[in-house]
Amino acid sequence: MFAISLGDDRAELRPLEVWQDEEFLAHMDRARELVDPWIPFASFATDRESARALLQRYAEKQAADTGRLYGIWLEDVLVGGVLFRIFDTASGTCEIGVWLEPAAQGRGLITRAAERLIDWAVYERGMHRVEWDASAANTKSIAVAKRLGMTRDGVIRQNYLYRGVRHDTEVWSVLAPEWKARRDAGADAPAAG
């Protein structure tokens, strides 16, 4: 298995695979309170069987080249993750999703991991548009989109029903020429992966 360093703090980005279901479930249990208000991701993994099914779904997406799932490890503990929820090579568009458990917040892990995914999507796979969708009330997620240099494309009003509440979704994106210009202007060099 490969690991991509996310910096000097022993944080790494690694594939999150089916055989890691027990570790993934333990992580989701720690992350659930922070993740559940915004996305159903944690609610899809409530026991070992459902955790395994979620990981299997992303293994199948990776095999079909329509999505990917990576974990963020800090000092060898799974603390978060990033994924390509949608990965459409024909249109050149993908969507990144992220999550993190409370103990790992405030370290820039999500921003660093998302940068690696965008680098790979743009430089290695030739994606033209990378999207970031977030509940309009999820200010932490929107702050990451801003740090990544994304542009707010707009708001889709009350399009997302979650736990009986309708949410507005903010759509953010960065286009390949914008990302490359940003990287050329001084951000870190692209990371293969």
Side-chain angles (χ1 to χ4, degrees), residues 91-94 96 115 117-131 148-151 153 172-185 187 190:
S91 70
T93 299
C94 59
I96 292 180
E115 286 173 337
L117 260 63
I118 297 170
D119 282 343
W120 182 80
V122 169
Y123 289 100
E124 299 295 324
R125 297 304 306 278
M127 286 292 180
H128 178 72
R129 178 183 169 85
V130 179
E131 293 184 0
L148 291 168
M150 293 185 159
T151 298
D153 294 329
W172 292 74
S173 69
V174 64
L175 304 179
E178 297 165 345
W179 185 255
K180 289 176 180 178
R182 179 179 181 270
R183 297 308 247 176
D184 290 345

Side-chain angles (χ1 to χ4, degrees), residues 117-170:
L117 260 63
I118 297 170
D119 282 343
W120 182 80
V122 169
Y123 289 100
E124 299 295 324
R125 297 304 306 278
M127 286 292 180
H128 178 72
R129 178 183 169 85
V130 179
E131 293 184 0
W132 184 281
D133 293 0
S135 168
N138 190 344
T139 56
K140 290 182 180 184
S141 183
I142 291 167
V144 175
K146 290 176 182 178
R147 281 194 298 275
L148 291 168
M150 293 185 159
T151 298
R152 182 175 179 246
D153 294 329
V155 175
I156 304 171
R157 297 180 311 136
Q158 297 187 3
N159 72 310
Y160 182 56
L161 181 63
Y162 182 58
R163 297 192 181 246
V165 177
R166 291 225 163 255
H167 295 265
D168 293 348
T169 299
E170 287 199 16

Side-chain angles (χ1 to χ4, degrees), residues 80-95:
V82 291
L83 57 82
F84 287 113
R85 194 181 76 78
I86 297 168
F87 198 82
D88 184 348
T89 57
S91 70
T93 299
C94 59
E95 179 191 332

